[in-house]
Amino acid sequence: VCYPNSKNSFSKNLKISMAQQLALTVIFFSPLQSMFWYGKPEDYTNEEEIDFFKYVPTVWDETHYLAGEIGQYISVARRKGNTWFIGNAAGLQDWKDSIRLDFLQDDTIYEATIYGDADNGGISKKIIQVKKGDRFLIDIKAKEGQAIIMRPVSSTAAR
């Protein structure tokens, strides 16, 4: 994965967005993950942009391919422990659809932290709650993506 920053002129060489770069760490499986940083650590001034990398593991316990068409879009969910990670990436065209969250554990509410592309070229971050069976709406522009972390916050079984 190549991750750009706004201070470095090498960023212009990347043909996809920052959020798609985040999503690719989930989509592509390799226990030998590597990352090329365009610049020095002090060049990355927006912690929200690189926050995702603190949590994404290099090996997984379970994988589900949620959607995909060659050259058009892909959605991959991977689990480590009780936390799920989803990478969504659009190809050369915008992608509007939804995916079902049927792979989540029954009777559990998850907090989903969604890292997406911001209008200023950086990363936006929002948090929603989801559960098994929900439909997660996808609205990604061409060459953009989403990286999502879903952590369990409560069980509905006792209610």
Side-chain angles (χ1 to χ4, degrees), residues 44-52 54 115:
Y44 294 88
T45 56
N46 182 348
E47 282 294 319
E48 294 210 343
E49 288 187 4
I50 58 174
D51 185 54
F52 180 78
K54 288 192 277 188
Y115 299 82

Side-chain angles (χ1 to χ4, degrees), residues 48-142:
E48 294 210 343
E49 288 187 4
I50 58 174
D51 185 54
F52 180 78
F53 294 119
K54 288 192 277 188
Y55 306 108
V56 67
T58 57
V59 294
W60 307 96
D61 298 327
E62 184 177 356
T63 298
H64 294 272
Y65 293 88
L66 306 176
E69 287 292 330
I70 295 172
Q72 295 179 26
Y73 56 86
I74 187 167
S75 179
V76 177
R78 298 188 192 272
R79 180 182 59 80
K80 179 67 176 181
N82 59 4
T83 301
W84 283 93
F85 295 79
I86 298 177
N88 294 326
L92 299 177
Q93 298 176 5
D94 294 356
W95 179 26
K96 292 184 181 193
D97 201 354
S98 66
I99 52 174
R100 289 191 59 87
L101 303 178
D102 290 338
F103 55 89
L104 296 176
Q105 184 176 333
D106 289 327
D107 302 323
T108 302
I109 303 293
Y110 290 80
E111 180 178 89
T113 305
I114 304 162
Y115 299 82
D117 288 294
D119 292 336
N120 65 2
I123 296 292
S124 68
K125 184 174 156 184
K126 71 177 183 177
I127 298 172
I128 63 171
Q129 289 195 341
V130 297
K131 64 185 181 322
K132 183 175 183 167
D134 283 353
R135 286 191 125 358
F136 182 83
L137 298 177
I138 296 172
D139 188 358
I140 302 173
K141 291 184 175 128

